[in-house]
Amino acid sequence: MTASTAKAQRFREFKMPDVGEGLTEAEILKWYVQPGDTVTDGQVVCEVETAKAAVELPIPYDGVVHELNFGEGVTVDVGTVIISVDTDPGAGPATAPAPAPEPQDAAKDEEEAEPQGRQAVLVGYGAAPSSTKRRARKPQAGVPAQPEPVSAALQAELNGRTAPAPAAAVAPVANGAAAGAVGRPLAKPPVRKLAKDLGIDLATIAPTGPDGIITREDVHAAAAPAAAPAPAEVPGPAPVAEAVVPAGVVDAAARERRVPVKGVRKATAQAMVSSAFTAPHVTEFITVDVTRTMKLVQELKQDPDMAGLRVNPLLLVAKAFLVAIRRHPEVNAAWDEARQEIVYKDYVNLGIAAATPRGLIVPNIKDAGAKTLPQLAGELGDLVATAREGKTSPAAMTGGTVTITNVGVFGVDTGTPILNPGESAILAFGAVKLQPWVHKGKVKARQVTTLALSFDHRLIDGELGSKLLADVAAVLERPKRLITWG
């Protein structure tokens, strides 16, 4: 075993995994360890936020933390090394190994790497290997080949590959300039593309990221229009007077703030736009007397079988929705555009729209239609609590078939909800209010709510959607139908 191989086995690098199938980046929210801390296999070392959820990442090695490559609040591409661990700290001074040089053949124009599988990680899917082939850079005529500067190793890491070790130490640059300044500016490929699209020369940007890395914010700042220079003095009869802002008028820009679109907000925006412009929405409304359902809620709270469980009107609305779907199973379907097929599903994964400090998320209860009322109450309570704590897993937010959104908790009567992508229907449950209502031939004060059902008109015709909504209302008006229909 060579010395370089031994060092590579000693210092293990952990890359940002794909914690949700298809994700490309994640933001480091918090580090739980620092360089010099001892870690064990399976220990959580950081928390990251993806477009779907906040996820804690465990390290798959035993040892001592050697280096944290990024700070908190930094968005990192999947497959980028975020932490390195010294797995044999007793072997001597902790000196990181120099990357092994890559074999090069001057007679070839392309470098070919052997395909590798995904990296083994404890959370997610690891980083998929890159199949990109890069052409060898040709030296310019009359310019002697220079060893790659030290900073190139970091740039190579940003690009998701391993940089060759420098053949020899770079000689000091004249006038005391740093040797690393010879190389091109450090930036991730997406940042380079952004700069190219905006027509910004990276060499003119002062980096603010760790280790001199140019960030997206740096590029946007460079692209922002600079303050207009003072006009040159022009001979004339009189100087042009500057525009005077009237007293009491405040510049609008001074009262605005901009927040980067990322994480849950970015995913929600993309999902809503995709759904609104892909699935033809139809929304129907119905107002219903739910006085009997509200009485049943109070009775269930005293039932020993429901002890310790959260019982509320949303629970019975969810059960009524599931009973109605069982009576009309054709609504529980999905549209497969690629294969031009309708996929009918014999299970119901019931999504519950939850407002959290991180934004709107829609976790779902798997096989909700097969659960008893106490089981449904338990899972509904766990789902809401986990969502509010920001601990919902990506798996809990995939595979939904229909959704309920409870806008009534905000005092709203109803709305026109947008479908969660890939689902066929979403039911909005409005506020329950005491209103005059004709009951048994007399006007009485009754507890009334409004339901709104949006559905994908490619899958659900108007007749079928109307029957589904009418059945939900019928169950809530006379909850004994939970027994006769269920």
Side-chain angles (χ1 to χ4, degrees):
M1 179 184 300
T2 64
S4 60
T5 302
K7 285 185 178 181
Q9 291 181 350
R10 173 182 173 182
F11 292 90
R12 306 300 298 272
E13 296 178 331
F14 179 64
K15 299 178 180 180
M16 177 68 75
D18 179 0
V19 293
E21 186 66 57
L23 297 178
T24 59
E25 62 183 16
E27 178 184 351
I28 298 176
L29 294 180
K30 184 176 181 180
W31 281 109
Y32 297 119
V33 296
Q34 294 298 324
D37 291 352
T38 301
V39 294
T40 57
D41 187 353
Q43 177 181 337
V44 173
V45 295
C46 69
E47 181 181 22
V48 302
E49 182 183 46
T50 70
K52 295 183 178 180
V55 181
E56 293 182 332
L57 298 183
I59 193 79
Y61 315 121
D62 293 326
V64 174
V65 177
H66 177 65
E67 183 180 10
L68 304 182
N69 292 24
F70 299 93
E72 295 176 353
V74 178
T75 299
V76 182
D77 293 335
V78 168
T80 303
V81 176
I82 60 174
I83 182 175
S84 59
V85 175
D86 183 356
T87 59
D88 189 11
T95 303
E102 297 177 356
Q104 297 183 357
D105 186 352
K108 295 182 179 180
D109 288 335
E110 297 182 351
E111 298 173 355
E112 298 184 358
E114 294 184 1
Q116 298 177 352
R118 284 180 177 252
Q119 177 196 15
V121 294
L122 297 182
V123 172
Y125 303 90
S130 173
S131 59
T132 306
K133 298 178 180 179
R134 303 177 68 89
R135 289 187 176 273
R137 187 173 297 172
K138 297 181 180 180
Q140 298 179 4
V143 179
Q146 295 290 339
E148 190 172 3
V150 176
S151 60
L154 180 57
Q155 179 61 53
E157 182 177 299
L158 293 175
N159 291 338
R161 61 183 178 86
T162 302
V170 181
V173 180
N175 300 327
V182 179
R184 64 174 183 168
L186 298 178
K188 299 178 184 178
V191 177
R192 292 186 178 279
K193 183 178 184 301
L194 175 63
K196 181 179 179 181
D197 293 341
L198 296 178
I200 303 298
D201 184 359
L202 290 176
T204 64
I205 299 177
T208 62
D211 299 320
I213 300 171
I214 296 174
T215 65
R216 290 185 177 90
E217 290 73 16
D218 295 337
V219 176
H220 284 298
E233 294 185 4
V234 179
V240 179
E242 296 182 358
V244 179
V245 179
V249 177
V250 181
D251 185 7
R255 295 184 294 169
E256 298 174 349
R257 56 191 178 91
R258 293 176 176 268
V259 179
V261 179
K262 58 183 180 179
V264 173
R265 174 57 56 195
K266 182 177 182 180
T268 301
Q270 292 173 342
M272 293 299 96
V273 170
S274 173
S275 177
F277 292 97
T278 301
H281 285 55
V282 172
T283 304
E284 295 185 342
F285 308 89
I286 190 169
T287 303
V288 57
D289 177 3
V290 293
T291 304
R292 292 186 177 93
T293 291
M294 299 304 289
K295 290 181 179 179
L296 179 58
V297 169
Q298 298 304 318
E299 293 174 2
L300 289 174
K301 289 182 178 180
Q302 308 301 321
D303 193 315
D305 292 334
M306 304 296 287
L309 299 174
R310 184 178 178 84
V311 179
N312 54 25
L314 178 61
L315 172 63
L316 294 186
V317 171
K319 193 64 177 178
F321 196 21
L322 293 170
V323 168
I325 292 173
R326 185 179 304 148
R327 287 169 57 85
H328 306 284
E330 299 88 355
V331 304
N332 193 44
W335 184 275
D336 189 337
E337 181 66 27
R339 302 180 64 174
Q340 286 295 292
E341 295 175 345
I342 297 177
V343 183
Y344 292 99
K345 302 178 180 181
D346 296 329
Y347 58 89
V348 180
N349 291 344
L350 178 63
I352 303 294
T356 73
R358 297 175 54 247
L360 175 67
I361 62 174
V362 189
N364 59 77
I365 301 173
K366 310 298 183 186
D367 285 317
K371 299 186 183 300
T372 64
L373 190 64
Q375 291 173 338
L376 188 63
E379 296 221 16
L380 185 59
D382 292 342
L383 179 148
V384 174
T386 302
R388 288 176 178 172
E389 293 172 0
K391 301 299 183 182
T392 303
S393 67
M397 291 187 285
T398 58
T401 59
V402 295
T403 290
I404 294 177
T405 177
N406 185 8
V407 298
V409 296
F410 306 109
V412 175
D413 291 334
T414 189
T416 54
I418 298 177
L419 293 168
N420 206 28
E423 299 184 6
S424 60
I426 179 171
L427 178 71
F429 174 35
V432 177
K433 297 181 178 180
L434 201 62
Q435 296 182 12
W437 193 265
V438 177
H439 178 67
K440 295 182 179 179
K442 297 181 179 180
V443 177
K444 297 182 179 180
R446 304 287 288 181
Q447 290 177 296
V448 177
T449 191
T450 300
L451 304 174
L453 180 72
S454 293
F455 52 87
D456 187 341
H457 213 346
R458 296 175 301 178
L459 300 166
I460 302 174
D461 293 333
E463 179 186 6
L464 181 58
S466 300
K467 288 181 177 179
L468 176 68
L469 182 59
D471 278 1
V472 175
V475 172
L476 294 177
E477 185 177 16
R478 295 182 178 274
K480 69 179 182 180
R481 291 190 172 107
L482 290 171
I483 300 174
T484 58
W485 287 2

